[in-house]
Amino acid sequence: MNAAGAIAPWLVRDRAFVWGERTYVMAVLNVTPDSFSDGGLFNSLEAAVRQAQHVVNAGADILDIGGQSTRPQADIISLQEELDRVIPVIAAVRSHPDRAVRSIPISIDTTRVAVATAAVKAGADIVNDISGGVAEPDMLPTVAALAVPFMAMHSRGTPKTMQQLTHYSDLVGEIYQFLETQVNQAIALGMERSQVCIDPGIGFAKTFDQSLDLLRHLAAFQPLGCPILIGASRKSFIGHILNQPDPQQRVWGTAAACCAAIAGGADIVRVHDVPEMRQVCQVADAIWRSRPASV
């Protein structure tokens, strides 16, 4: 478990993210018509802003806005379409009349340098790249120049090809090596180690069994000395276990996955169901993060 104070905190707007103190909740806001779980629910500006207010009121610590679906087999949209989806939402959140909404830390979920740059200019605070900074080679230098935290996830290929790229000789070791390389590159570009959050990429170029194995061995990534993000919410491995094809009916399975992630040392959980998972985090933190009572 990451000890409080062992990794330098993030200071984002009026918030301090003190790693190890508690688990932080990242709320998913997909402004897409085709995301696997909530595609089409929030792809109008009005619906997206309503959802932002809902998750902020429910206790979200970060709002993760994405305009490109990353579900298996998703088509890649044009740069302009991605910009048109996410930038107005960021601007609307930043100008919201509710102070709590307009001050929420925002991460931009993108693999594109141009989107990351425009999003930060519009008011985003963090770049969350599912390719870990390899989809576009200028991503890491750009994020370093923007001086914002970076979330580096492990994946392979594209949404169309990733589930054919699941062979690993050493699952944990190969993912660790990839993340270590990306962290070291970020440091070489002037970023602080603590400003890079690592994500082993549950469900991305991972089979059902591999996703479970990563949750079992999450503590293996702690030696990298970075905050750890886990995004298991509503994913297909949960549906496989529960025999539940509807992602929106995987809330309690997601709760179990979040508990496992927190027990393994996750610092942030990326979730769709914020009210429920906020409670999960509070109870899990009381179990695994509280100091033992004196005898």
Side-chain angles (χ1 to χ4, degrees), residues 1-22:
M1 187 67 70
N2 287 336
I7 301 172
W10 288 2
L11 303 177
V12 182
R13 298 193 177 265
D14 59 354
R15 315 234 181 157
F17 291 80
V18 182
W19 310 116
E21 185 175 87
R22 69 177 179 88

Side-chain angles (χ1 to χ4, degrees), residues 67-119:
Q68 166 65 61
S69 174
T70 55
R71 63 175 175 79
Q73 303 301 316
D75 291 319
I76 303 301
I77 61 174
S78 70
L79 169 61
Q80 190 58 53
E81 189 169 3
E82 188 175 353
L83 288 167
D84 289 345
R85 288 179 180 181
V86 299
I87 302 304
V89 176
I90 295 170
V93 171
R94 284 288 168 253
S95 61
H96 198 278
D98 185 332
R99 184 184 178 280
V101 176
R102 67 175 179 266
S103 65
I104 185 77
I106 293 175
S107 57
I108 178 64
D109 179 359
T110 188
T111 61
R112 287 172 162 147
V113 168
V115 176
T117 302

Side-chain angles (χ1 to χ4, degrees), residues 175-191:
I175 295 171
Y176 186 101
Q177 185 176 44
F178 170 83
L179 294 172
E180 183 178 42
T181 297
Q182 298 312 102
V183 170
N184 288 339
Q185 286 185 11
I187 292 170
L189 290 163
M191 295 182 68

Side-chain angles (χ1 to χ4, degrees), residues 169-233:
S169 297
D170 175 5
L171 176 71
V172 173
E174 289 176 42
I175 295 171
Y176 186 101
Q177 185 176 44
F178 170 83
L179 294 172
E180 183 178 42
T181 297
Q182 298 312 102
V183 170
N184 288 339
Q185 286 185 11
I187 292 170
L189 290 163
M191 295 182 68
E192 297 293 329
R193 178 180 296 273
S194 61
Q195 293 289 293
V196 184
C197 180
I198 56 171
D199 178 352
I202 302 292
F204 284 81
K206 316 292 189 304
T207 65
F208 158 77
D209 287 324
Q210 289 165 346
S211 291
L212 294 178
D213 216 26
L214 284 174
L215 285 171
R216 294 184 188 110
H217 296 95
L218 194 56
F221 297 96
Q222 288 185 342
L224 285 171
C226 300
I228 298 173
L229 166 66
I230 290 295
S233 183

Side-chain angles (χ1 to χ4, degrees), residues 281-295:
C281 290
Q282 288 175 299
V283 174
D285 285 349
I287 297 168
W288 284 296
R289 295 194 197 274
S290 295
R291 296 179 180 178
S294 57
V295 179

Side-chain angles (χ1 to χ4, degrees), residues 9-75:
W10 288 2
L11 303 177
V12 182
R13 298 193 177 265
D14 59 354
R15 315 234 181 157
F17 291 80
V18 182
W19 310 116
E21 185 175 87
R22 69 177 179 88
T23 306
Y24 295 94
V25 175
M26 172 188 272
V28 178
L29 182 54
N30 290 319
V31 288
T32 61
D34 59 342
S35 291
F36 83 98
S37 174
D38 54 3
L41 294 180
F42 312 120
N43 63 328
S44 73
L45 182 60
E46 296 77 12
V49 173
R50 281 197 303 271
Q51 179 66 3
Q53 183 164 24
H54 168 69
V55 298
V56 169
N57 291 340
D61 299 294
I62 302 170
L63 183 64
D64 190 46
I65 299 176
Q68 166 65 61
S69 174
T70 55
R71 63 175 175 79
Q73 303 301 316
D75 291 319

